[in-house]
Amino acid sequence: PVTTPTTIQQQVLTGTGENNAAIICRGTVVAWVWNGVWSCNIELDSGLNVLSFTARDAAGNESAATSVEIFFDDIPPGPVSIVAQEEGRGTQMELSWTNYDELDNGGDIDHYIVYQAEQPFDNIAQATAILTNAAGWQRCVVTGLVRGTTSHYAAVAFDEAQFAGFQGSRPGDDLPDNI
């Protein structure tokens, strides 16, 4: 079994086979079978990696290929720009980021988290997560606002590997200055 997607570029792959067989991947011997098992380290390229393995015995017979797909995600989504539109009597507001292109930002957006704070913030640790939207849902309505007070918001995209849409970081790291 493999983990996919992964944010770890070096993957350890294992399998079983006939003793003394050479395990071949990408045209190179990557391991030898000892006591019926083999193990090798494979360095993944960014994006989808389709790895085909064959076993070659001492007589030169080569097995049919066994393939595995691993997606190496080393690209965080881009920052999200939100638009705020006051609704009703000033006690609710629609936040929208429908101009955010999920495909252009890696094509693997998993969800968005919207953060709120009373003061401007440049780190999500300084704000409160108020809701989570699944990929494709690029708007929300914030309710229960108090008229005459100011709140600050940020929507952050997270991809399937849980990279966040700000500087390739994870929750707790710095956000861009233009919140």
Side-chain angles (χ1 to χ4, degrees):
V2 297
T3 300
T4 187
T6 182
T7 59
I8 302 169
Q9 188 171 21
Q10 287 283 338
Q11 291 292 303
V12 177
L13 301 171
T14 60
T16 60
E18 179 183 326
N19 280 338
N20 300 320
I23 303 301
I24 301 165
C25 180
R26 298 176 176 166
T28 303
V29 174
V30 294
W32 292 91
V33 179
W34 300 109
N35 296 323
V37 296
W38 61 268
S39 176
C40 70
N41 289 324
I42 297 288
E43 184 170 326
L44 302 175
D45 296 324
S46 181
L48 181 64
N49 291 261
V50 180
L51 304 171
S52 294
F53 294 89
T54 59
R56 185 181 311 137
D57 65 17
N61 300 310
E62 196 160 328
S63 70
T66 298
S67 295
V68 64
E69 293 183 359
I70 304 174
F71 187 84
F72 173 48
D73 187 353
D74 63 341
I75 302 169
V80 177
S81 295
I82 59 175
V83 175
Q85 177 69 41
E86 184 179 320
E87 290 189 351
R89 299 181 179 166
T91 59
Q92 62 184 30
M93 176 175 28
E94 180 184 48
L95 301 177
S96 172
W97 53 97
T98 55
N99 61 341
Y100 188 77
D101 189 323
E102 292 182 350
L103 189 57
D104 284 349
N105 284 282
D108 63 341
I109 302 300
D110 183 66
H111 65 279
Y112 301 92
I113 298 179
V114 176
Y115 295 90
Q116 177 185 41
E118 292 178 9
Q119 301 295 321
F121 60 97
D122 59 8
N123 184 304
I124 59 176
Q126 299 167 327
T128 301
I130 59 170
L131 64 92
T132 300
N133 275 5
W137 291 90
Q138 297 175 313
R139 63 179 43 167
C140 65
V141 175
V142 180
T143 60
L145 300 175
V146 177
R147 278 188 240 147
T149 62
T150 300
S151 293
H152 300 267
Y153 298 90
V156 178
F158 287 82
D159 66 13
E160 292 174 1
Q162 299 310 301
F163 278 123
F166 48 89
Q167 304 169 351
S169 303
R170 297 180 186 269
D173 291 338
D174 291 337
L175 287 167
D177 294 331
N178 59 351
I179 296 175

